[in-house]
Amino acid sequence: MKIEARIFEAIAAFFLIMMIVYAVATGFYRTGVEWAGVMGLTFSACLALLAGTYFRFVARRVEIRPEDYDDAEVEDGAGELGFFSPHSWWPIMVAIGASLFAIGFATGNLWFAIGCAVLIVASATGLVMEYYVGPEKH
C-alpha cells in the first residue's frame, strides 16, 4: 500500500505545482487570475491527497505485500486473491441503476433519479447480502 500512497501523493504534488503555475500564468497574461481553474486544480490536489492519506493510513495496518518490496518477483504475489462471485447479477443492476440515475439527474427528471437511487441502494444491498440469504447461504 505504500506504493499506492506514494503515487497519489506525487499526483497531489503535481496538481499543487500546476495550480501555482496556472495562477501565475493566468494572472500574468490576463487581467486577473482565472479562479475556476485554480480551484479545480486545488480540489484535484486535495482529492489525490485524500486518497494518498487513506493508502498511507491503511499501509500501517496491513501486512507487507510483495508489491512493497523493491526486489520482489512476479511469483511472490502468486496465490489466492480473494473470492469473486462468478454468477452474480447484482453488479450489473448497480451499474444500470447508476447509469439511469445519471441520465435522470442530467435531464432534470427528479422523480426518475430518485427511483434510480432507490434501485442503486436495493441492488447494492442485494450485492452485499448475496451470500447471507437464500439458497447460497453457507
Coordinates of all heavy atoms in Angstrom, one line a residue, residues 80-87 130-131 138:
E80 N -4.1 -17.2 -3.8 CA -5.4 -16.8 -3.9 C -5.6 -15.3 -3.6 O -5.0 -14.7 -2.7 CB -6.2 -17.5 -2.8 CG -7.7 -17.3 -2.9 CD -8.5 -18.1 -1.9 OE1 -8.1 -19.2 -1.6 OE2 -9.5 -17.6 -1.4
L81 N -6.3 -14.6 -4.4 CA -6.5 -13.1 -4.3 C -7.8 -12.8 -3.6 O -8.0 -11.7 -3.1 CB -6.5 -12.5 -5.7 CG -5.2 -12.6 -6.4 CD1 -5.3 -12.0 -7.8 CD2 -4.1 -11.9 -5.7
G82 N -8.7 -13.7 -3.5 CA -10.0 -13.5 -2.8 C -11.1 -14.2 -3.5 O -10.9 -15.0 -4.5
F83 N -12.3 -14.0 -3.1 CA -13.5 -14.7 -3.6 C -14.2 -13.7 -4.5 O -14.6 -12.6 -4.0 CB -14.4 -15.2 -2.5 CG -15.6 -15.8 -3.0 CD1 -15.6 -17.1 -3.7 CD2 -16.8 -15.2 -2.9 CE1 -16.7 -17.6 -4.2 CE2 -18.0 -15.7 -3.4 CZ -17.9 -17.0 -4.0
F84 N -14.5 -14.1 -5.7 CA -15.3 -13.3 -6.6 C -16.4 -14.1 -7.1 O -16.2 -15.2 -7.7 CB -14.4 -12.8 -7.8 CG -13.2 -12.0 -7.4 CD1 -12.0 -12.6 -7.3 CD2 -13.3 -10.7 -7.0 CE1 -10.9 -11.9 -6.9 CE2 -12.2 -10.0 -6.6 CZ -11.0 -10.6 -6.5
S85 N -17.6 -13.7 -7.0 CA -18.8 -14.4 -7.3 C -18.9 -14.5 -8.9 O -19.0 -13.5 -9.6 CB -20.1 -13.7 -6.8 OG -21.2 -14.5 -7.1
P86 N -18.9 -15.8 -9.4 CA -18.9 -15.9 -10.9 C -20.2 -15.7 -11.5 O -20.3 -15.6 -12.7 CB -18.4 -17.3 -11.0 CG -18.9 -18.1 -9.8 CD -18.8 -17.0 -8.7
H87 N -21.3 -15.7 -10.8 CA -22.6 -15.7 -11.4 C -23.5 -14.6 -10.9 O -24.7 -14.7 -11.1 CB -23.3 -17.1 -11.1 CG -23.6 -17.3 -9.7 ND1 -22.6 -17.8 -8.8 CD2 -24.6 -17.1 -8.9 CE1 -23.1 -17.9 -7.6 NE2 -24.3 -17.5 -7.6
E130 N -25.8 -11.1 -0.7 CA -26.0 -12.2 -1.6 C -25.7 -13.6 -0.9 O -26.5 -14.5 -1.1 CB -25.1 -12.0 -2.8 CG -25.3 -13.1 -3.9 CD -24.5 -12.8 -5.1 OE1 -23.7 -11.9 -5.1 OE2 -24.8 -13.5 -6.1
Y131 N -24.7 -13.7 -0.2 CA -24.3 -15.0 0.4 C -24.7 -15.1 1.8 O -24.3 -16.1 2.5 CB -22.8 -15.2 0.2 CG -22.4 -15.5 -1.2 CD1 -21.9 -14.5 -2.0 CD2 -22.6 -16.7 -1.7 CE1 -21.6 -14.7 -3.3 CE2 -22.3 -17.0 -3.1 CZ -21.8 -16.0 -3.8 OH -21.5 -16.3 -5.2
H138 N -24.3 -20.2 3.5 CA -23.4 -21.2 3.9 C -23.8 -21.6 5.4 O -23.8 -20.9 6.3 CB -22.0 -20.8 3.9 CG -21.5 -20.5 2.5 ND1 -21.2 -21.5 1.6 CD2 -21.4 -19.3 1.8 CE1 -20.9 -21.0 0.5 NE2 -21.0 -19.6 0.6

